[in-house]
Amino acid sequence: SSSTNPFGRYYNEILRNEGFNIFLSTDISSITTTILDAYYVVILGELSLTPGQVTMLSDWVNAGGNLIAMRPDKQLAGLLGLSDASATLDDGYLLVDTSTQPGSGIVSETMQYHGTADLYNTAGANTVATLYSNAATPVPGNAPAVTLNDVGANGGQAAAFTYDLARSIVYTRQGNPAWEGE
């Protein structure tokens, strides 16, 4: 997480709700290669990265790490198997491909997300879910909402949610925080 985005800390609550109780939650500024090497999976909230942090994460995934990036910094696009389409989509929808793993078992109808999604094209990644501009209309070019990319020869994987999942859940469950007190 980062102190610049309080929604990133909500992943702690999501993990606990799913029964995961043993994990480290920390600010990106304190992450080192030594810390990364102790873990198999990293969930990276929506935040800006320095070039050094991009290199550190890329090296870790290439060595076999598993990265899940939420509305990732554009510097990670290559690692994630994406190319930037230089556009965004606010408060849209997504449709999960339920015909293959990891989408099987998830509802096969469009679901709304709240917040902003960055538009990308796939450049090697497999699309798990596709963005829709409304409940029935896919974004032209089948822009991915969620992707999974195999990285390196050591079994590393990099997943991308092109929107901030935590922000969307908070907005869905609690409403827009900007309306507090109205």
Side-chain angles (χ1 to χ4, degrees):
S1 65
S2 169
S3 60
T4 61
N5 180 5
F7 291 100
R9 292 187 295 270
Y10 190 64
Y11 293 106
N12 297 344
E13 302 307 318
I14 294 170
L15 290 170
R16 285 187 186 101
N17 190 49
E18 294 298 323
F20 296 101
N21 296 310
I22 301 173
F23 54 87
L24 172 69
S25 179
T26 191
D27 191 278
I28 187 68
S29 63
S30 65
I31 296 297
T32 64
T33 55
T34 303
I35 291 172
L36 279 178
D37 288 343
Y39 294 92
Y40 297 106
V41 177
V42 168
I43 298 173
L44 186 66
E46 177 186 1
L47 51 87
S48 297
L49 298 171
T50 66
Q53 291 166 334
V54 170
T55 299
M56 178 178 59
L57 288 166
S58 297
D59 290 348
W60 177 76
V61 173
N62 274 289
N66 297 289
L67 177 67
I68 303 168
M70 307 296 177
R71 195 168 181 222
D73 187 307
K74 305 264 176 146
Q75 297 176 84
L76 289 174
L79 176 69
L80 297 166
L82 300 171
S83 65
D84 185 16
S86 300
T88 60
L89 178 65
D90 292 333
D91 297 319
Y93 289 75
L94 62 96
L95 179 65
V96 176
D97 177 1
T98 60
S99 66
T100 61
Q101 290 289 343
S104 63
I106 298 176
V107 68
S108 61
E109 299 174 8
T110 55
M111 298 178 276
Q112 189 173 22
Y113 70 86
H114 297 287
T116 301
D118 291 316
L119 298 185
Y120 289 94
N121 298 304
T122 56
N126 295 311
T127 300
V128 175
T130 305
L131 289 171
Y132 276 58
S133 55
N134 60 48
T137 309
V139 170
N142 293 319
V146 182
T147 61
L148 184 60
N149 190 37
D150 293 327
V151 178
N154 296 312
Q157 291 188 311
F161 284 67
T162 61
Y163 63 100
D164 186 353
L165 178 63
R167 181 183 310 265
S168 180
I169 291 171
V170 169
Y171 282 11
T172 298
R173 294 190 173 276
Q174 298 174 345
N176 187 339
W179 298 343
E180 181 181 358
E182 290 187 18

